[in-house]
Amino acid sequence: MLRMRIDIESLKLKISESTEVFFQHLSREEQKKIGQFTTPMPVAEYMAERLIDDANILNNQTIKLLDPGAGTGVLGLAVVEKLFSMYPSCKIELVAYENEPIALRVLKSNLSLAMSWSADSGLNFSYEIRERNYILEEDGLLQDSAFSFESNYDLVIANPPYKKLSKDSLEADAMSFVVHGAPNLYGFFWAKAAIELRPNATSVFIVPRSWMSGAYFERLRAFMFSQGSVVELHAFDNRNNVFGSTKVLQELVIVVFQKKRVDSVKIWSHDDITTLEQSQSIVVPRDLVVVGEEQRVYLITNATQLALAKWAVALPSTFLDSGLKMKTGLTVCFRNRDLVEMNLLITMCPSFMPTILTVMRLD
């Protein structure tokens, strides 16, 4: 039987179509249950580009690539295509984890197509699918399971599951060194992938922004910054971006991480996923991005915010130094109108609202 040659555009179209069909068969509740949300092709290609631009790749190098939450394979294959377009003499070994049965079937088909394309194109590509839980690796193996493949990969790309877990889950037990309060599965994926990066190697993840300042993620931040540095942050202005056929109602960031120390972070703010290549970055000193004992991460996206951060750092004291504490979200004024008074008494607490804030002063 004569086999038709597959060109790269046909391959990308087939992968995109099979992924769309997969997610059309999942209800919104099923997607939330497994924590999977599709990565549209423009986002996958942009993430692959940012990953490779920040990596140190040689043309004749053997590159070990990890996609720990492969889904239908869109992200890993975007990296493969981009690498071969830039370094045609390299050898790529892709390791893909997936244990959801329907996604696994699509993943196998997509990787088989990619293998045919690479063979027809004279490119050196191989892959391994690991049909198991990425965090647990093997049933019953919890002790040190996160370190099974330590320092093993040159590149990692992932859109991991966004799923809250209980503190007594097997995954939380295996990743106890980053658990602080209520854990989320995406944090475990990011931390384990950092362990598996080789020194100076690079990963790119698309994840919710909650890790940046949430108290529950304090141990995760401490661990990640002990392993290396965030070198790029990409924010989206619209939290209701449509990712493929699914609305992800969370604020997401693309995070490029390197297993080494860097002194600055490049930050982008994108209008939406259709204009990724048009956005401009700002370079911010690391000590203005990663701040305080809790190592909270500030998303500084323009020159005005950068100037404000520098001004704040230069202040002679902080709220805590002055014996003051401020918290957000403790109450919603329009739901407690009977407790709101316009005339401040000594027994009351002040409430600051955006409408009373002007440039550098309170009215």
Side-chain angles (χ1 to χ4, degrees), residues 36-88:
Q36 286 193 342
F37 297 93
T38 180
T39 309
M41 192 62 75
V43 176
E45 292 178 339
Y46 185 72
M47 289 175 65
E49 177 184 302
R50 300 315 313 150
L51 175 67
I52 296 168
D53 280 358
D54 281 296
N56 184 20
I57 304 295
L58 300 176
N59 192 34
N60 59 352
Q61 179 180 349
T62 296
I63 301 167
K64 293 200 68 174
L65 168 64
L66 171 66
D67 186 348
T72 60
V74 169
L75 283 172
L77 291 176
V79 178
V80 170
E81 188 271 326
K82 186 73 69 175
L83 280 171
F84 278 137
S85 70
M86 299 174 66
Y87 309 101

Side-chain angles (χ1 to χ4, degrees), residues 42 45-46 49-50 82 268 270 272-280:
E45 292 178 339
Y46 185 72
E49 177 184 302
R50 300 315 313 150
K82 186 73 69 175
W268 281 257
H270 303 287
D272 58 57
I273 64 174
T274 65
T275 58
L276 293 171
E277 298 289 352
Q278 300 172 25
S279 306
Q280 300 296 314

Side-chain angles (χ1 to χ4, degrees), residues 149-287:
F149 296 95
E150 187 172 3
S151 300
N152 203 49
Y153 300 104
D154 302 292
L155 300 172
V156 180
I157 190 167
N159 179 1
Y162 314 154
K163 185 178 180 181
K164 291 181 180 178
L165 300 173
S166 65
K167 290 183 66 175
D168 58 358
S169 66
L170 291 177
E171 289 85 355
D173 194 1
M175 301 293 292
S176 59
F177 54 93
V178 294
V179 174
H180 180 79
N184 195 301
L185 191 53
Y186 80 79
F188 293 168
F189 271 64
W190 195 31
K192 187 169 185 283
I195 293 169
E196 296 179 345
L197 281 175
R198 289 173 174 159
N200 302 315
T202 309
S203 71
V204 62
F205 275 62
I206 184 166
V207 292
R209 284 173 54 171
S210 49
W211 68 272
M212 299 173 66
S213 59
Y216 289 160
F217 294 91
E218 183 177 343
R219 291 188 72 180
L220 173 66
R221 291 193 298 272
F223 177 78
M224 293 302 296
F225 293 132
S226 74
Q227 294 289 303
S229 305
V230 170
V231 296
E232 288 188 12
L233 282 170
H234 298 255
F236 298 93
D237 288 342
N238 182 3
R239 72 181 290 161
N240 294 323
N241 271 288
V242 178
F243 272 45
S245 60
T246 304
K247 284 190 176 182
V248 181
L249 300 179
Q250 299 191 63
E251 293 181 282
L252 301 176
V253 286
I254 295 172
V255 189
V256 181
F257 178 89
Q258 285 190 330
K259 205 163 183 177
K260 66 179 183 180
R261 171 79 182 198
V262 300
D263 296 324
S264 62
V265 184
K266 293 178 73 174
I267 302 177
W268 281 257
S269 179
H270 303 287
D271 291 335
D272 58 57
I273 64 174
T274 65
T275 58
L276 293 171
E277 298 289 352
Q278 300 172 25
S279 306
Q280 300 296 314
S281 66
I282 183 171
V283 179
V284 184
R286 182 189 184 277
D287 59 2

Side-chain angles (χ1 to χ4, degrees), residues 6-8 11 81 84 113-121 123:
I6 303 174
D7 63 75
I8 187 59
L11 174 66
E81 188 271 326
F84 278 137
L113 286 171
M115 179 67 85
S116 298
W117 163 75
S118 64
D120 289 343
S121 305
L123 302 170

